[in-house]
Amino acid sequence: SQKIEQNSEALNIQEGKTATLTCNYTNYSPAYLQWYRQDPGRGPVFLLLIRENEKEKRKERLKVTFDTTLKQSLFHITASQPADSATYLCALATGGGNKLTFGTGTQLKVEL
Amino acid sequence: DVKVTQSSRYLVKRTGEKVFLECVQDMDHENMFWYRQDPGLGLRLIYFSYDVKMKEKGDIPEGYSVSREKKERFSLILESASTNQTSMYLCASSSPPSLADTQYFGPGTRLTVL
């Protein structure tokens, strides 16, 4: 069956450290993958998109990698801050690019 | 900035009531979507529309219908609300060519059905 897996357990890290979140998928061949941030009681906000022919993408303190062999994307936040605390969702372009399928998200807590 | 607005942040309805959730976007996007989000299940696609008066079923359309009479407005209708439709409802929009391109979400409507 098709699955998108993100760690359901919250990730707690100390301010200033690098946070790394994982998105694994099975039985999909996405042309691209996106990461979104969601704050409690709010809608998701787009952060980054990475295509299957790109290994890595960066935006300010954010970095995303995409390994189509491992079927995995890693999302890194460097020099993390308490304001980075949120739930992060990965989303795959599925159905021949006609649909965005979301993972359940990982909650990140950055502590002082 | 893209703005997607939803008619209510919180809504409480009774079982059997007809419920309308409205979504408006101001970026002239062709594609619009309705999702529901439940703990442990993530976002699930209910319906989407890629043009005025066009609609397609998503993964969980049962118990819902939609209406798109104008490009900027996409309505989700619960014909007869049931308690298992208590959820967070999120509207999103995007521009072509792909329905899987970056989506812009509204703030969500938390619906409680008693």
Side-chain angles (χ1 to χ4, degrees):
Chain A
S1 64
Q2 296 174 315
K3 272 189 205 174
I4 301 171
E5 291 181 324
Q6 294 186 257
N7 197 337
S8 58
E9 289 182 18
L11 177 64
N12 296 323
I13 65 164
Q14 213 169 13
E15 184 180 19
K17 303 288 187 189
T18 296
T20 299
L21 285 69
T22 305
C23 176
N24 294 304
Y25 58 93
T26 52
N27 294 322
Y28 285 115
S29 297
Y32 48 91
L33 185 148
Q34 302 178 37
W35 284 88
Y36 289 76
R37 169 186 172 137
Q38 187 174 24
D39 291 288
R42 314 295 296 186
V45 175
F46 170 75
L47 295 174
L48 281 167
L49 182 152
I50 185 165
R51 300 187 186 281
E52 59 181 340
N53 60 351
E54 298 174 313
K55 293 279 190 230
E56 181 180 298
K57 202 112 180 236
R58 291 176 187 259
K59 179 183 173 184
E60 296 172 355
R61 295 185 295 111
L62 309 180
K63 184 177 89 171
V64 173
T65 62
F66 191 12
D67 189 325
T68 55
T69 303
L70 288 179
K71 294 188 181 294
Q72 181 182 77
S73 174
L74 298 178
F75 177 80
H76 306 271
I77 306 175
T78 57
S80 58
Q81 305 164 0
D84 296 325
S85 299
T87 296
Y88 291 87
L89 308 172
C90 72
L92 276 59
T94 59
N98 282 325
K99 187 177 162 185
L100 203 56
T101 301
F102 286 84
T104 52
T106 297
Q107 186 180 13
L108 172 67
K109 293 180 185 174
V110 181
E111 296 160 343
L112 293 168
Chain B
D1 274 356
V2 176
K3 195 151 185 199
V4 179
T5 56
Q6 294 183 229
S7 49
S8 306
R9 292 300 310 279
Y10 300 93
L11 210 50
V12 180
K13 295 291 181 181
R14 296 206 174 274
T15 303
E17 279 193 79
K18 190 168 187 174
V19 182
F20 293 87
L21 302 181
E22 297 216 312
C23 174
V24 177
Q25 51 94 4
D26 67 357
M27 282 303 290
D28 206 34
H29 284 168
E30 277 80 1
N31 305 326
M32 295 189 75
F33 309 83
W34 275 106
Y35 294 88
R36 65 178 281 178
Q37 186 174 30
D38 301 286
L41 296 177
L43 276 86
R44 293 181 291 166
L45 182 63
I46 305 171
Y47 267 96
F48 64 95
S49 167
Y50 52 87
D51 202 351
V52 175
K53 297 197 187 292
M54 305 303 291
K55 57 188 178 186
E56 294 282 346
K57 292 180 181 178
D59 298 319
I60 52 163
E62 296 78 20
Y64 303 96
S65 61
V66 290
S67 171
R68 187 136 182 231
E69 296 297 319
K70 292 185 178 181
K71 190 175 185 180
E72 67 272 16
R73 190 179 296 268
F74 192 34
S75 301
L76 179 70
I77 303 151
L78 286 66
E79 294 289 341
S80 178
S82 63
T83 54
N84 64 11
Q85 292 179 309
T86 291
S87 186
M88 170 71 110
Y89 289 88
L90 291 158
C91 173
S93 71
S94 73
S95 56
S98 169
L99 289 159
D101 274 335
T102 301
Q103 294 186 7
Y104 298 88
F105 285 84
T109 295
R110 186 163 293 282
L111 173 68
T112 302
V113 183
L114 302 174

